[in-house]
Amino acid sequence: MKKSLIIALTLCFAIFSCGEKTENQEGQEMQNEAKQETVSTPTASSTSVSTTDMIDAYLSVKDALVADDQATAAAESQTLVNAIREFDAEADLEDLKAQVLTEAEKLVSGDIASQRESFQALSVGMKEILKVVGTDRTIYQQYCPMYKNNTGGMWLSASEDIKNPLFGSSMLTCGKVEETLAMN
């Protein structure tokens, strides 16, 4: 009987001591949880508020250039300018935002050739912004090697289908998908 009682007490002690955490273990777990909370990755909800209007306006300008429609491209560019101004950029993106805004403002006026040149420069900056803050949809970076005397040019699209805004109807399907910016 005494032997059974000692075994039972030893077993109970072992069970309870295995389930307890030391203060050090609890503190370490709390630190790990805090680290996980501070890691910030773009999410669809956070990016949709900050980039949706910009992406929508950008794609409208692209579609107008695909259709060789200088007037619509200019009108949609003003919407893009406003969306970029409203975009709440982090401090490290302010210079890039200013560069993108400058190119978007150039799209508002000018002939379609100069609009296309500004659009290509704008596309490079837009891609960099979206790579940092994320996107609310899948975006395809497309590239035409023949643009600008075969130096090449890129643009962003919501579709994998090539509709080249840098040449419009003269070379509508010239290009390829080079990169996919996945929805965050």
Side-chain angles (χ1 to χ4, degrees):
M1 175 100 170
K2 226 179 196 185
K3 203 174 195 180
S4 303
L5 186 58
I6 292 175
I7 292 173
L9 285 173
T10 306
L11 186 60
C12 286
F13 179 76
I15 291 172
F16 285 114
S17 65
C18 288
E20 291 181 12
K21 295 180 181 175
T22 65
E23 282 184 37
N24 189 30
Q25 288 172 328
E26 287 178 27
Q28 189 144 8
E29 284 181 11
M30 288 174 62
Q31 284 178 338
N32 289 341
E33 287 174 9
K35 284 180 186 175
Q36 288 175 350
E37 289 174 14
T38 59
V39 174
S40 148
T41 56
T43 61
S45 61
S46 68
T47 59
S48 64
V49 170
S50 60
T51 60
T52 297
D53 291 343
M54 243 180 14
I55 294 169
D56 289 345
Y58 171 90
L59 293 173
S60 293
V61 172
K62 179 195 73 82
D63 291 343
L65 292 173
V66 165
D68 299 321
D69 188 344
Q70 183 273 332
T72 301
E76 294 298 332
S77 294
Q78 188 56 56
T79 303
L80 178 59
V81 165
N82 294 338
I84 294 168
R85 285 184 180 143
E86 293 295 316
F87 173 63
D88 188 22
E90 298 171 10
D92 57 337
L93 289 177
E94 282 297 327
D95 289 341
L96 190 53
K97 176 184 172 182
Q99 174 189 352
V100 167
L101 182 60
T102 299
E103 294 303 329
E105 288 170 336
K106 290 178 187 177
L107 286 162
V108 175
S109 61
D111 63 11
I112 198 156
S114 61
Q115 284 178 322
R116 286 183 166 133
E117 193 168 318
S118 294
F119 183 77
Q120 197 284 318
L122 167 77
S123 297
V124 172
M126 282 286 293
K127 175 190 169 192
E128 294 306 313
I129 288 173
L130 295 178
K131 285 180 91 169
V132 172
V133 299
T135 175
D136 65 345
R137 65 196 94 179
T138 300
I139 299 288
Y140 302 94
Q141 177 202 325
Q142 298 177 340
Y143 176 78
C144 174
M146 297 180 75
Y147 181 70
K148 205 121 170 145
N149 296 321
N150 298 322
T151 60
M154 61 82 60
W155 67 94
L156 304 173
S157 178
S159 170
E160 287 183 89
D161 295 334
I162 302 297
K163 301 286 188 225
N164 190 328
L166 304 178
F167 282 116
S169 62
S170 67
M171 293 183 78
L172 187 60
T173 59
C174 179
K176 65 181 179 177
V177 173
E178 280 201 323
E179 187 176 346
T180 301
L181 305 176
M183 183 173 75
N184 295 356

